[in-house]
Amino acid sequence: MSTTILYRPTGIKELALIAATDFKHFPPRLSWQPIFYPVLNQPYAEQIALEWNTNDEGSGYCGIVTRFAVDTAFLERYDIQNVGDGSHNELWVPAEELELFNQHIVGKIEVVKTFLGEQYTAPEDVQLAELIRSLSK
């Protein structure tokens, strides 16, 4: 099976929910989140994590970049959406399709980089706190 590598910028709360699935699934979207948007390259995910998540209280003032593989054939159902410059490409997965999307993740969701904002406070979960600290710049 052919896979495509995708990235997802996130914050501490979402990371805790991902960890609760043994890093195999993304959590359901909240009522005000109509889409799940994985991005197609790591630099764009890092830009979001650094510029958005580190300044966002809901993200715990922490930007976390995750990387994961998805069955390429399954992804053909989603058009690539460009939302800025040439590298700002993402997929828009309707919230109601996220469970199906999760079923097509191959392997585990990895944390590849973290960014800590000025107001960051480590989560109480010691393992998550260490993971975040070990990958921050």
Side-chain angles (χ1 to χ4, degrees):
M1 167 190 343
S2 176
T3 61
T4 299
I5 301 297
L6 298 174
Y7 300 86
R8 169 87 179 145
T10 188
I12 291 173
K13 291 177 185 175
E14 187 170 345
L15 180 63
L17 295 171
I18 294 166
T21 71
D22 193 27
F23 292 88
K24 293 180 181 178
H25 300 282
F26 288 96
R29 302 291 80 202
L30 301 174
S31 61
W32 51 272
Q33 297 172 314
I35 62 170
F36 172 76
Y37 62 95
V39 303
L40 276 59
N41 63 77
Q42 187 168 335
Y44 178 38
E46 289 178 8
Q47 180 183 3
I48 296 168
L50 178 62
E51 294 177 6
W52 174 261
N53 297 103
T54 60
N55 295 302
D56 177 51
E57 181 180 5
S59 295
Y61 302 105
C62 180
I64 299 162
V65 177
T66 63
R67 175 176 61 206
F68 56 100
V70 180
D71 173 12
T72 300
F74 173 76
L75 292 178
E76 291 176 3
R77 68 192 304 145
Y78 304 108
D79 293 330
I80 295 173
Q81 306 293 325
N82 180 270
V83 296
D85 73 27
S87 68
H88 292 171
N89 294 321
E90 52 193 46
L91 300 178
W92 291 355
V93 178
E96 59 272 11
E97 293 181 22
L98 183 55
E99 185 175 334
L100 179 62
F101 181 92
N102 280 331
Q103 293 171 13
H104 289 86
I105 293 174
V106 178
K108 291 194 174 191
I109 300 164
E110 304 172 82
V111 176
V112 294
K113 197 163 199 176
T114 60
F115 300 92
L116 308 179
E118 290 181 19
Q119 297 181 55
Y120 167 75
T121 302
E124 291 183 19
D125 182 309
V126 176
Q127 289 178 320
L128 285 184
E130 177 55 27
L131 175 62
I132 292 166
R133 188 204 58 75
S134 71
L135 294 170
S136 70
K137 281 195 128 183

